Amino acid sequence: MGRLFSFHRPDVARVDAALAANVAAHRRTATAASELAEEVAEQRQNAETELDRIKCRLERRRQKDPRIEAARDALKLLERH
């Protein structure tokens, strides 16, 4: 009686090679995703730091010039209407 499936050595080698290629591609993708996530986190931190600097500068200017606070209040009133 013959086998239902007959596998030849070259077929197994091709499957093994395809699996190895898939594993390697997955590892490259995972590494790239990890590197991208680190870069995004760093850029977010930089943006948050810059935003904090801007807020501090605005606060200092507000304290020096009361017209800035008046303008801010006027903008808030306009946004409500």
Side-chain angles (χ1 to χ4, degrees):
M1 184 178 228
R3 295 183 186 174
L4 290 175
F5 300 102
S6 86
F7 290 106
H8 299 294
R9 186 58 100 190
D11 293 335
V12 172
R14 275 194 299 252
V15 170
D16 284 346
L19 287 173
N22 279 343
V23 168
H26 175 72
R27 286 184 182 146
R28 285 191 303 273
T29 301
T31 299
S34 176
E35 290 170 355
L36 182 58
E38 288 175 13
E39 184 178 333
V40 167
E42 182 179 338
Q43 289 178 358
R44 180 183 176 134
Q45 182 63 45
N46 291 343
E48 289 174 353
T49 300
E50 184 62 22
L51 182 59
D52 288 343
R53 280 191 210 128
I54 291 169
K55 286 179 180 178
C56 287
R57 273 189 273 152
L58 285 173
E59 182 60 25
R60 284 193 304 270
R61 286 181 187 169
R62 185 190 65 77
Q63 290 173 355
K64 289 180 183 177
D65 189 348
R67 293 175 298 174
I68 293 174
E69 190 64 30
R72 183 183 295 158
D73 292 341
L75 281 174
K76 286 180 184 176
L77 285 173
L78 287 173
E79 288 174 352
R80 289 183 193 160
H81 296 286

